[in-house]
Amino acid sequence: MRLSQYPIANLKEVPAEAEVISHQLMLRAGLIRRLSAGQYTWLPMGLRVLRKVETIVREEMDRAGALEILMPTTQPAELWMESGRWGQFGPELLRFKDRHQREYVYGPTHEEVVTDLARRELHSYRQLPVNFYQIQLKFRDEVRPRFGVMRAREFLMKDAYSFHLDEACLQRGYAAMYRAYTAIFTRMGLTFRAVQADTGSIGGTGSQEFHVLADSGEDAIAFSDGDDYAANVEKAEAMAPATPRGPATRPVTDIDTPRTKTIETLTALLACTAATVLKTLVVDGEDGQLVALCLRGDHELNAIKAQKLPGVANPLHLAAPERILEVIGCEPGFIGPVGLAARGVKVFADHSAAALADFVCGANRKDVHLSGVNWGRDLPEPIITDLRNVVDGDPSPTGTGQLRLVRGIEVGHIFQLGQKYSATMKATVLDDQGKDAVPFMGCYGIGVTRVVAAAIEQNHDERGIVWPEPIAPYQVVVVPLNAARSPRVSEVAEKLYAQLQAAGVEVLIDDRDARPGVKFADAELWGIPHRVVVAERGLEAGTLEYRHRRASDNEAMPLEGALAFLQERIGR
Ligand code: ATP
Ligand code: MG
């Protein structure tokens, strides 16, 4: 492509709307433009990257034996009523009516449509296993669309759905997708990690997420430094402390703690550490009751774990202050577990909180805390469970090594669905005995547009994007300097451009009438891996200047044999 004919200019200023670096760089380098909240147009330079990501995904899905289809973006609501998700999905589901007042949804995912396809087309066990996939736009009315295409409302997803006669076959299909995903993200040149994931309300036996590692990632992931255990922090198990609870040695004592409603102010006032304090969170129960969740002061509640506890409302919801006042007789900030059982409040404690002795907690009276409190002596033993997020240095649940925390961006998810959709939507097949069998399903997603942003989060520097070569929009940029004054510069650059194109290299020529500094800055912002500068000075010596986007110095490159030199570098 000739930059003289390219209509979109790079932006010098960092757009105020963009919080994260990938969003800033995607706007500055003209990869995307915002239409409305969470909706983006892909411009030519960005679309080339997106297409490359798509091609790698498609090739590896095909190689794994999956079959590409294309389902409609809009779906009749009846299918969602049939599966039960019409009622379960909240406002994230975009619903609308056609001219006949028939209800529709814009697909946020396609389990219903693909299961409908399966029940019409698959009748015999002989047709199984099968894996159908598509690369299709989705719409999810996210509460907080942000970070550009990273959490958009409309985005491109590769979604695949497999059907198997039995669970063992599902597991083989799932393992094949694990391998395909590993091949996909490896080929893209990304540093990634597969981690165990929460299976949500669907349950199911297995689920893993693929994360591109980046400090800016929305997800925390924990992995063991002793073996290959890795899990999303949402899911990672926190073990009971190795040392058991100590004996009770002190009496319960009131302490005046005026206006001391947080762990920080409390520990400052008492000159103690947060690890000796018990914090109590009050949440709504399933049945209108309140439930207390106790954690050590230095630990964080894990909402995913908490909302699965018997009697706790799912999704988790903190109790309203008025309700706490009504049931416990005190405002939040001074709540503690002593006396709660008598008020009908169920008390859960995290393993570490249950291991505390002589601890400090709220007194359920304004401006008062208690010290020297002991489970079993001053209040009943709590229901002990895993309630908290793991922290760096926790023992690995496998028993080998310690957990380390890193941040990641979820780019893919593989999931053993089981019979949920095939059973409710009656997508049965005949087995080899001629009996009806309900197939086992798996589903497998990749956020194709999110991958592009994640790749930038992981690969950039202060000058711009540093694309991994397999997904760069162009491989080479040829930059003639001051060509207007030097016919020879222009001639050499044009010849090299033509040669590269003929050789099938994806090449840009910066034939704009612009200053060298502008050309260099743009090439670096775009992150084109290989740059060749054609300048009068070098030509006299029979050389061109070569620089890789990751290198900090130029290399002289022979004018004769320039094509071979570049092909060798591209092949590396
Ligand atoms: P998240 O937890 O990030 O909301 P999810 O669990 O809702 O993701 P899935 O339903 O498993 O995601 O969708 C498959 C893939 O689609 C995800 O792994 C992610 O890469 C991508 N994805 C999901 N939501 C969005 C979004 N709002 N914008 C861009 N990509 C998304
Ligand atoms: Mg989501």
Side-chain angles (χ1 to χ4, degrees):
M1 185 183 72
R2 291 183 176 282
L3 282 173
S4 60
Q5 287 162 17
Y6 190 65
I8 291 148
N10 286 340
L11 312 178
K12 283 193 193 61
E13 303 297 320
V14 177
E17 69 189 269
E19 294 168 60
V20 294
I21 191 77
S22 59
H23 190 195
Q24 293 171 1
L25 290 172
M26 288 182 85
L27 290 171
R28 282 185 55 208
L31 307 189
I32 53 167
R33 285 292 180 263
R34 179 181 186 272
L35 174 64
S36 80
Q39 288 190 295
Y40 291 86
T41 295
W42 286 76
L43 299 180
M45 198 68 83
L47 188 60
R48 288 184 69 94
V49 178
L50 188 63
R51 291 290 181 238
K52 288 195 169 179
V53 169
E54 228 181 291
T55 300
I56 293 173
V57 170
R58 182 175 281 115
E59 285 176 4
E60 294 302 326
M61 290 302 290
D62 290 346
R63 197 195 305 278
L67 303 171
E68 186 169 5
I69 60 174
L70 185 60
M71 294 179 269
T73 50
T74 54
Q75 311 175 5
E78 285 87 71
L79 288 178
W80 286 70
M81 294 173 183
E82 216 187 320
S83 72
R85 288 209 285 189
W86 179 256
Q88 289 158 12
F89 247 75
E92 216 175 84
L93 185 63
L94 177 63
R95 305 163 204 240
F96 59 95
K97 288 195 178 111
D98 73 1
R99 64 167 83 204
H100 305 293
Q101 302 305 307
R102 281 186 294 243
E103 304 244 41
Y104 275 81
V105 307
Y106 193 108
T109 176
H110 279 71
E111 281 83 2
E112 282 80 0
V113 177
V114 82
T115 308
D116 181 65
L117 177 74
R119 71 179 164 189
R120 291 168 196 270
E121 302 300 324
L122 307 176
H123 305 295
S124 158
Y125 72 97
R126 288 178 215 277
Q127 293 170 284
L128 303 185
V130 66
N131 184 333
F132 291 121
Y133 81 96
Q134 64 172 347
I135 298 177
Q136 172 63 293
L137 289 170
K138 302 282 188 258
F139 191 94
R140 295 183 181 179
D141 206 346
E142 299 273 355
V143 204
R144 225 149 63 86
R146 59 199 164 129
F147 308 152
V149 298
M150 195 101 83
R151 184 165 296 285
R153 295 201 297 165
E154 185 168 326
F155 58 97
L156 193 60
M157 195 199 286
K158 184 285 296 175
D159 46 328
Y161 308 88
S162 65
F163 296 84
H164 310 261
L165 191 61
D166 55 40
E167 209 159 359
C169 181
L170 166 60
Q171 271 158 24
R172 287 193 296 276
Y174 178 87
M177 283 295 106
Y178 181 95
R179 290 192 297 274
Y181 276 41
T182 303
I184 286 168
F185 297 118
T186 304
R187 267 186 69 185
M188 288 176 190
L190 298 172
T191 305
F192 66 96
R193 184 121 202 182
V195 307
Q196 291 176 27
D198 178 61
T199 49
S201 52
I202 301 178
T205 36
S207 163
Q208 281 158 298
E209 292 164 353
F210 284 74
H211 285 261
V212 164
L213 304 186
D215 293 339
S216 57
E218 268 191 302
D219 285 54
I221 61 188
F223 66 92
S224 164
D225 59 12
D227 61 18
D228 58 7
Y229 176 83
N232 193 309
V233 164
E234 286 182 347
K235 155 106 181 173
E237 203 184 329
M239 308 302 287
T243 38
R245 183 194 295 165
T249 61
R250 289 165 38 200
V252 178
T253 315
D254 278 9
I255 20 180
D256 280 338
T257 51
R259 294 176 303 282
T260 311
K261 289 187 171 194
T262 64
I263 296 292
E264 292 73 44
T265 51
L266 183 67
T267 51
L269 181 75
L270 304 180
C272 66
T273 67
T276 61
V277 173
L278 187 97
K279 71 177 165 197
T280 307
L281 300 162
V282 184
V283 300
D284 287 338
E286 264 169 349
D287 43 11
Q289 317 270 70
L290 297 184
V291 177
L293 307 173
C294 300
L295 293 153
R296 229 169 61 181
D298 58 332
H299 286 152
E300 241 175 56
L301 179 73
N302 181 310
I304 305 276
K305 293 175 183 176
Q307 69 197 11
K308 285 188 188 156
L309 295 174
V312 172
N314 185 355
L316 193 74
H317 193 261
L318 283 179
E322 309 79 64
R323 183 86 181 112
I324 296 178
L325 190 62
E326 186 187 330
V327 177
I328 305 177
C330 174
E331 64 182 81
F334 306 97
I335 303 295
V338 180
L340 290 188
R343 296 173 189 268
V345 178
K346 206 170 177 182
V347 178
F348 288 96
D350 180 67
H351 291 291
S352 305
L356 291 177
D358 292 334
F359 58 82
V360 172
C361 65
N364 297 328
R365 278 172 279 149
K366 188 173 169 22
D367 294 341
V368 184
H369 279 79
L370 302 175
S371 69
V373 179
N374 287 278
W375 299 109
R377 186 191 72 178
D378 310 317
L379 73 168
E381 288 291 346
I383 308 168
I384 302 173
T385 184
D386 175 13
L387 267 183
R388 67 174 175 96
N389 286 336
V390 295
V391 294
D392 204 85
D394 270 347
S396 167
T398 54
T400 313
Q402 290 188 328
L403 294 181
R404 299 289 160 226
L405 296 189
V406 289
R407 300 208 68 88
I409 301 166
E410 181 195 325
V411 288
H413 194 177
I414 58 177
F415 202 106
Q416 298 181 30
L417 276 174
Q419 296 168 303
K420 178 182 154 87
Y421 295 94
S422 43
T424 31
M425 294 181 64
K426 303 190 182 59
T428 55
V429 298
L430 293 179
D431 67 11
D432 59 354
Q433 308 294 313
K435 288 217 251 355
D436 273 345
V438 180
F440 287 79
M441 288 174 63
C443 70
Y444 318 94
I446 290 183
V448 178
T449 37
R450 185 183 283 182
V451 165
V452 177
I456 297 174
E457 287 296 329
Q458 193 176 70
N459 300 278
H460 64 267
D461 62 16
E462 64 293 344
R463 289 167 293 151
I465 304 168
V466 185
W467 289 114
E469 304 209 13
I471 58 172
Y474 289 90
Q475 297 167 291
V476 177
V477 56
V478 175
V479 186
L481 297 189
N482 302 317
R485 271 179 276 127
S486 168
R488 194 149 145 244
V489 165
S490 171
E491 201 179 294
V492 169
E494 289 292 339
K495 193 171 150 214
L496 181 59
Y497 176 61
Q499 272 183 332
L500 286 162
Q501 274 194 318
V505 174
E506 295 168 297
V507 57
L508 274 178
I509 183 164
D510 196 346
D511 54 350
R512 294 176 296 178
D513 181 18
R515 285 182 292 110
V518 170
K519 295 186 175 189
F520 294 152
D522 282 346
E524 288 179 325
L525 180 60
W526 279 318
I528 311 299
H530 307 274
R531 183 183 84 187
V532 183
V533 174
V534 184
E536 186 63 49
R537 204 157 43 126
L539 288 184
E540 276 153 27
T543 59
L544 304 175
E545 273 172 21
Y546 168 82
R547 192 193 285 198
H548 190 272
R549 179 63 180 81
R550 291 190 190 273
S552 46
D553 292 310
N554 289 334
E555 267 179 75
M557 168 180 137
L559 179 53
E560 296 306 318
L563 177 63
F565 178 98
L566 284 168
Q567 282 177 319
E568 193 265 334
R569 291 303 166 108
I570 292 167
R572 269 188 194 179

